[in-house]
Amino acid sequence: KLLCFVEKYLEPFRLSLEKLKEVSVRLKKDLIRGLGKHSHHRAAVKMLPTFVRATPDGTEKGDYLALDLGGTNFRVLYVRVVEEQQKVVKMDSKICSIPQEMMLGTGEQLFDHIAQCLGEFLESQDLKGQTLPLGFTFSFPCEQKEIDKSILIRWTKGFSCSGVEGQDVVKLLKEAIHRRGDYDIGSVAMVNDTVGTMMSCGYRDQSCEIGMIIGTGTNACYMEEIKNVKRVEGEDGRMCINTEWGGFGDDGSLKDILTEFDEVVDQTSINPGVHTFEKMISGMYLGEIVRLLLVKMAEDKLLFKGETSEALLTPGQFETKYISEIEDGLENAQKILTALGLNWDPVDACVVRLVCDTISSRSARLCAAALATISNRIRVNRGLDHLKTTVGVDGTVYRKHPNFSEELQAAVRLLAPKCDITFLVSEDGSGKGAAMVTAVAQRIWLPGCMLSFIFLPIFVYI
Ligand code: BGC
């Protein structure tokens, strides 16, 4: 009987295969809208050209710096590309935390902090006298004008620094470095984390032509036929498109599957009305959805003898990592409920586990619908009856959750039966992948020559 009551709360989160197919059809239309010359301005799914065309080469070499901003931490890396051995070697790296106040402060403060962290790293590596080329993995939606000119469309995830939206991020970084005046950098290549992930998987599997992130945020990129990218000149070949699928639904197209809990998560976020799809899927929000459900069920006397706790009533206190831990075993569930100050019994622990499972399943199945849409698009683009392709994947939700990847893969098989998809977990796409894009850009970045082609080198990591 209890389960029947519980199911009433969970039912709106259970998406049937039919519903997922509908979602996929909607996304398919949105991809086309985002690619259109005149329709892209209003498109919820931005479909941003990246100026990356992937073709293996392998002649790149040299030392590079890489910056990685957009996930849980900010990282600086020093990377060596070794031509003879076709290897990308991470020489050293440093992690700098970005305090919450800074994520919500001014852009100047943020970029000064980045420049300081980079300065300290260069000092420690004795690299201050050199001007190394730099790959900047900046994992936010950017309208890329060239490889080194990238305008932030809007902040997502936990960031909301003033004075950055609408600005060229490369310029802001260089200005911060020049304000210090104690070191300089060489040419810059801007990279979205999905692109770095795809590129970094390309060496192991050359049919890797999709990059997907399911971490703090979610997004994917893929290789599109240039002739379909109406904003970019050219008829032949392919270009990597950063879909920014997190924005799917921002025009109301997902209204029928949004629950009252999703609405609350959106309204209490720092960017209401924005990144609807991401808020149903990614690590920044899943814990909060579960927390809101548990509070409601406790208030309705279905859990914890009708009692809550201060921790459970505090936004953000139920972390997304708890979902993975709870689903991993009932013992974990009990420990976490105790730590949250809840008065639980064994049935409560089982119900909480069921809630976590429902929310993470919905996330995996929605991702599957979106990935199936992209794979099917690639297949149809190429006039194939059957497509064999590889997806480079990264992100804490995908990596850490006990059965997220299996659930996602099972649903993709049903939604894209004509696509045979291999999943490859990336090895530091945001770090080494960015250096790789920069290395390629360097090779063909002759003075006076507009960079519009980037070739994917075949490298082997060690
Ligand atoms: C950003 C994307 C990014 C994704 C994964 C989203 O919030 O808009 O650019 O790729 O998070 O990090």
Side-chain angles (χ1 to χ4, degrees):
K1 197 164 153 225
L2 173 74
L3 268 186
C4 265
F5 280 125
V6 168
E7 208 39 50
K8 276 215 182 94
Y9 291 78
L10 300 183
E11 207 269 333
F13 292 94
R14 300 200 191 283
L15 302 177
S16 66
L17 200 60
E18 280 320 301
K19 196 43 113 181
L20 292 175
K21 281 184 189 159
E22 274 180 40
V23 168
S24 175
V25 170
R26 289 177 214 168
L27 180 60
K28 181 177 162 190
K29 288 190 187 134
D30 276 6
L31 300 188
I32 297 169
R33 194 172 300 145
L35 288 171
K37 191 163 191 156
H38 303 294
S39 51
H40 81 264
H41 301 290
R42 284 165 285 112
V45 182
K46 295 264 171 275
M47 305 296 279
L48 304 165
T50 64
F51 296 91
V52 171
R53 290 190 195 212
T55 310
D57 177 293
T59 60
E60 292 75 12
K61 61 179 172 193
D63 288 359
Y64 299 90
L65 293 169
L67 302 183
D68 175 18
L69 180 77
T72 17
N73 281 309
F74 168 64
R75 288 188 310 152
V76 189
L77 299 94
Y78 176 36
V79 171
R80 178 160 295 166
V81 176
V82 190
E83 186 192 12
E84 303 79 46
Q85 299 161 36
Q86 298 200 341
K87 274 178 190 164
V88 178
V89 188
K90 184 172 92 185
M91 309 294 281
D92 213 332
S93 67
K94 173 183 162 89
I95 295 181
C96 301
S97 66
I98 306 227
Q100 176 97 29
E101 319 81 78
M102 197 169 277
M103 289 161 91
L104 305 174
T106 69
E108 200 169 298
Q109 279 166 344
L110 175 72
F111 282 92
D112 281 344
H113 182 64
I114 291 175
Q116 182 188 340
C117 185
L118 175 57
E120 284 165 10
F121 179 70
L122 293 176
E123 179 84 58
S124 71
Q125 302 290 313
D126 213 8
L127 288 172
K128 259 193 166 164
Q130 300 190 30
T131 50
L132 293 172
L134 180 145
F136 190 177
T137 303
F138 187 72
S139 308
F140 302 95
C142 287
E143 185 75 55
Q144 208 144 333
K145 302 286 184 198
E146 285 161 40
I147 195 83
D148 65 341
K149 188 160 189 212
S150 203
I151 315 287
L152 175 66
I153 297 174
R154 63 173 170 230
W155 287 112
T156 59
K157 299 174 274 196
F159 285 79
S160 187
C161 300
S162 58
V164 189
E165 287 179 354
Q167 302 297 314
D168 176 10
V169 178
V170 178
K171 192 165 158 258
L172 295 180
L173 173 69
K174 285 190 173 160
E175 281 171 0
I177 292 173
H178 294 155
R179 271 198 290 280
R180 295 173 54 91
D182 58 340
Y183 68 89
D184 209 353
I185 50 169
S187 56
V188 177
M190 290 296 291
V191 189
N192 185 265
D193 52 354
T194 54
V195 182
T197 297
M198 182 188 79
M199 294 289 257
S200 73
C201 283
Y203 85 94
R204 277 186 282 175
D205 184 336
Q206 284 179 51
S207 52
C208 183
E209 45 202 347
I210 303 176
M212 176 170 78
I213 304 280
I214 313 164
T216 311
T218 184
N219 189 15
C221 69
Y222 73 101
M223 298 308 294
E224 176 61 83
E225 308 302 312
I226 283 254
K227 64 176 189 302
N228 295 336
V229 190
K230 307 288 184 211
R231 271 187 276 173
V232 173
E233 305 238 325
E235 282 297 310
D236 302 324
R238 295 178 184 144
M239 181 179 280
C240 179
I241 296 294
N242 167 13
T243 66
E244 289 293 337
W245 75 20
F248 181 31
D250 288 2
D251 55 0
S253 69
L254 294 174
K255 265 224 149 22
D256 58 324
I257 59 166
L258 287 173
T259 67
E260 57 178 292
F261 304 96
D262 296 307
E263 312 271 4
V264 177
V265 165
D266 178 47
Q267 284 309 314
T268 51
S269 69
I270 58 171
N271 54 354
V274 163
H275 271 211
T276 310
F277 195 55
E278 176 161 276
K279 287 172 183 165
M280 302 168 92
I281 291 175
S282 77
M284 176 105 196
Y285 310 97
L286 291 186
E288 191 59 8
I289 302 176
V290 170
R291 187 189 71 82
L292 291 169
L293 258 163
L294 298 185
V295 169
K296 177 88 173 123
M297 290 165 91
E299 284 172 353
D300 293 352
K301 312 227 165 351
L302 278 176
L303 274 175
F304 317 129
K305 305 170 193 64
E307 291 164 28
T308 54
S309 70
E310 206 187 315
L312 191 69
L313 290 175
T314 312
Q317 284 294 93
F318 193 100
E319 296 178 39
T320 296
K321 70 170 186 212
Y322 296 162
I323 298 182
S324 298
E325 290 167 15
I326 288 174
E327 285 187 61
D328 214 13
L330 262 184
E331 264 177 36
N332 295 342
Q334 297 170 351
K335 272 189 210 138
I336 289 168
L337 295 180
T338 304
L340 288 171
L342 292 160
N343 183 5
W344 58 270
D345 65 27
V347 177
D348 290 331
C350 290
V351 171
V352 170
R353 199 171 174 199
L354 185 64
V355 171
C356 290
D357 175 66
T358 308
I359 299 308
S360 61
S361 287
R362 181 182 69 155
S363 164
R365 286 166 70 82
L366 283 172
C367 273
L371 182 59
T373 314
I374 289 181
S375 319
N376 274 326
R377 180 167 174 91
I378 298 179
R379 182 180 65 78
V380 173
N381 271 346
R382 300 187 190 166
L384 297 172
D385 185 49
H386 194 91
L387 174 78
K388 202 169 153 31
T389 192
T390 297
V391 186
V393 202
D394 208 346
T396 41
V397 174
Y398 187 89
R399 276 175 184 274
K400 300 271 166 69
H401 187 279
N403 55 324
F404 191 96
S405 56
E406 280 106 69
E407 186 130 19
L408 186 152
Q409 291 174 25
V412 174
R413 275 195 290 277
L414 297 174
L415 293 163
K418 293 182 176 173
C419 301
D420 176 3
I421 306 177
T422 305
F423 291 78
L424 215 53
V425 174
S426 118
E427 284 175 41
D428 198 2
S430 301
K432 290 176 178 174
M436 198 181 286
V437 178
T438 322
V440 177
Q442 275 271 304
R443 175 167 60 78
I444 44 178
W445 205 345
L446 303 171
C449 159
M450 256 272 292
L451 178 81
S452 52
F453 299 95
I454 293 187
F455 299 97
L456 173 68
I458 322 166
F459 290 128
V460 181
Y461 286 138
I462 53 165

